[in-house]
Amino acid sequence: MHTALSVLVVYSAFGAQRADAAVSVNPTMKVGLYYSSTALPGANLLNDVGSGYRLGYYDKNRNFQQLASTRETAISVVKTQNVYYGKVGQWSGYYDTLTSDIAVGCWHLQLPGSYSSYEQAAAAAAAYPGGFAAWIDGTWQARVGAYLNKEAAQSAQAALGLSDAVLAGTSSYGVSVVKTGTSQILFQFDSSSGLCLGIVPGQSGTVKTETIFRGNTYYGGFQYQRVGGGNLTVSNVVPLEDYVQGVIVREMSSSWPSEALKAQAVCARTFAYRSYTASKHISQGFDLCNSTCCQVYYGMDAVTASSSKAVEQTYGEYAWYNGSLIDAVYSSHNGGATESAVNVWGSQVGYLIGKTDPYEASVVNKIPNYNWTVTYTAQELTDLLNSKGYLNSGIVDFKVTKTSPTGNAIEITFTDSSGKTWSKIRDACRTFLGLRSIHYTVTSSSGSGSPSGGSFPVNGTETLDSLSGAYAINGSGNTAQLGSEVYLLDGSGQVSQAQTGGNDAKGSDTVFTITGSGWGHNVGMSQWGAYAMAQQGYTYKDILTFYYTGIEVRKP
Ligand SMILES: [Zn+2]
């Protein structure tokens, strides 16, 4: 065992990391598919490969505990409020609480007593139309019907002769499983102790099931949680290795060389495991979300034989630095040089060190918009800074004032007519102006205005259209009117003739041209660089160790 000699400074939002020994291979992940504002009143599932569903919950160790099962191939989960859904687009599923085709009411008749098993409750319920078994805080009940209001439930009670039944209404945490396209409840689940309905497709467990949910195909199971008693937060409960398969084809084309895909797989796996331990989304009921906030994931649809192989050939492998998993950040392309994390995010990270990238250049012709140019007029910069609260008297200069050893812009400075300056550093050199990367230079020109259209700022409040009639004052206080030719001395001792609207006194028609390359934050792996390296015969470990200095790639 090695002894930890240094503490890795983590610059991102990720918190504590597990020690090497605690990192596991292929843990079960919960990936949020619909949550917060996208949480659903109802969500359907359709068997694609495999048949039927096991119904239950995931325990603390994420082992599935089965309570019930069904042989239906198309089921929907709805919250225990009145939920309506349309017949149109039965599989893509449109559920809400306003329109109706099919209504699943939240009022039920509950038969007296309780039952010791799912089978007993289901058998008792089956004696009545619309009967179903319900698991309510660990107790089996037999319930009947799905009525929209208390009155409808009461009249059904009279008609069915169920005078000893009690009425059961809506619940904050309850969910019902119905046969899609009907209001027939198959199973109801309600737990006030934090357990959530879990559904695992396929009854035998011997087939690797594929399930269609809202048009996408997923491996693994699903969890339905009513966070705060609201709509359904739907998560895919899936082995990490399967998740990585779904991720890499959203982050990189599956047609890319296999060593590049393998490098991406190690990055995605390492990133996912770190997120899993950081518990960023745990209050929402899952480990990772499916958006760019974490990693883009829409199940298995885009997976190909080639991308699958890349995941299988790196099975369980993570990227490590000093015994901890790295933050495997990457960008599309760096434009010629990566950048140190300290120069972009402000904290030193041992393995995120800027270096010149000799590989990207060989595939520049394949990279869309590799080189880019953005122009701003002085007036546009004036307005932009003012709109962001940097009140200025008119921006007259904008330049890169600090460049990193690898040639990236790491400090930019705006100067207004009064000489006041505003600087932006690190990643803000990219984000402040919405640029594609920090790999750029800035040039300025006087634009297309006529020579007389320029101006000379005076005292920050006035401008002169020309120097004609202006006076100069020297160190002894003597004044003299300027002649037709005026020379200016700058701080470095350079003398140049004054030109109206020229570089020494920029007017509002000055145009700043930003010429750059690359797309992203420039830290860590370049995906196009990985592509180029793979094409040149380098392995995924060569790629990863080039872009992440001093790391190792291995299983825990
Ligand atoms: Zn996220």
Side-chain angles (χ1 to χ4, degrees), residues 280-281 288-289 291 293-294:
K280 180 179 173 185
H281 287 292
L288 298 130
C289 72
S291 76
C293 156
C294 289

Side-chain angles (χ1 to χ4, degrees), residues 160-492:
L160 293 169
L162 279 169
S163 57
D164 54 352
V166 296
L167 296 184
T170 185
S171 143
S172 293
Y173 298 101
V175 292
S176 300
V177 179
V178 301
K179 179 177 176 175
T180 298
T182 77
S183 58
Q184 172 63 52
I185 296 178
L186 303 168
F187 174 65
Q188 193 172 66
F189 180 99
D190 201 340
S191 168
S192 57
S193 65
L195 294 178
C196 310
L197 174 68
I199 297 183
V200 175
Q203 298 203 60
S204 71
T206 57
V207 181
K208 186 155 186 174
T209 58
E210 291 179 11
T211 310
I212 299 172
F213 168 55
R214 289 177 81 88
N216 295 116
T217 303
Y218 294 90
Y219 288 152
F222 298 85
Q223 177 180 279
Y224 303 83
Q225 182 173 7
R226 293 182 60 191
V227 177
N231 281 342
L232 304 169
T233 290
V234 185
S235 302
N236 185 203
V237 186
V238 63
L240 173 59
E241 295 296 323
D242 286 344
Y243 165 78
V244 171
Q245 291 211 17
V247 165
I248 65 165
V249 291
R250 301 290 173 180
E251 305 284 341
M252 188 179 267
S253 167
S254 63
S255 66
W256 279 26
S258 65
E259 295 302 313
L261 288 167
K262 285 158 77 174
Q264 186 74 47
V266 173
C267 288
R269 184 183 294 113
T270 306
F271 180 93
Y273 199 94
R274 279 178 59 110
S275 301
Y276 165 61
T277 56
S279 304
K280 180 179 173 185
H281 287 292
I282 206 69
S283 66
Q284 294 170 282
F286 48 87
D287 306 310
L288 298 130
C289 72
N290 65 341
S291 76
T292 52
C293 156
C294 289
Q295 299 188 109
V296 177
Y297 173 71
Y298 293 108
M300 298 297 146
D301 297 281
V303 169
T304 65
S306 162
S307 70
S308 270
K309 207 171 160 191
V311 177
E312 286 159 15
Q313 290 177 342
T314 59
Y315 180 88
E317 291 185 352
Y318 300 96
W320 308 78
Y321 182 80
N322 282 351
S324 293
L325 298 186
I326 72 164
D327 191 3
V329 291
Y330 55 87
S331 50
S332 171
H333 47 285
N334 55 44
T338 70
E339 191 46 70
S340 297
V342 67
N343 288 334
V344 177
W345 293 312
S347 291
Q348 193 77 46
V349 180
Y351 50 88
L352 297 175
I353 303 299
K355 46 172 85 169
T356 302
D357 186 337
Y359 303 107
E360 269 189 11
S362 69
V363 292
V364 163
N365 60 346
K366 289 184 193 291
I367 306 175
N369 306 309
Y370 184 78
N371 295 303
W372 47 266
T373 301
V374 174
T375 58
Y376 276 95
T377 64
Q379 187 61 51
E380 286 168 342
L381 290 181
T382 298
D383 295 343
L384 180 79
L385 266 77
N386 278 327
S387 74
K388 289 175 183 276
Y390 304 104
L391 301 181
N392 66 84
S393 60
I395 296 301
V396 297
D397 198 15
F398 162 49
K399 58 176 65 154
V400 176
T401 41
K402 196 181 282 182
T403 304
S404 76
T406 55
N408 293 311
I410 56 173
E411 182 189 272
I412 55 176
T413 301
F414 303 89
T415 307
D416 80 355
S417 59
S418 72
K420 193 172 174 187
T421 61
W422 292 265
S423 289
K424 288 285 151 190
I425 59 171
R426 304 189 189 119
D427 203 29
C429 296
R430 171 177 68 113
T431 58
F432 188 77
L433 294 175
L435 303 175
R436 285 185 156 214
S437 84
I438 55 172
H439 203 66
Y440 64 80
T441 55
V442 180
T443 56
S444 60
S445 63
S446 60
S448 55
S450 65
S452 63
S455 61
F456 293 86
V458 178
N459 297 333
T461 53
E462 294 176 25
T463 57
L464 294 178
D465 289 335
S466 105
L467 294 178
S468 165
Y471 284 78
I473 183 166
N474 72 7
S476 329
N478 296 322
T479 59
Q481 187 167 7
L482 298 177
S484 59
E485 289 184 351
V486 177
Y487 288 84
L488 299 175
L489 179 65
D490 72 10
S492 52

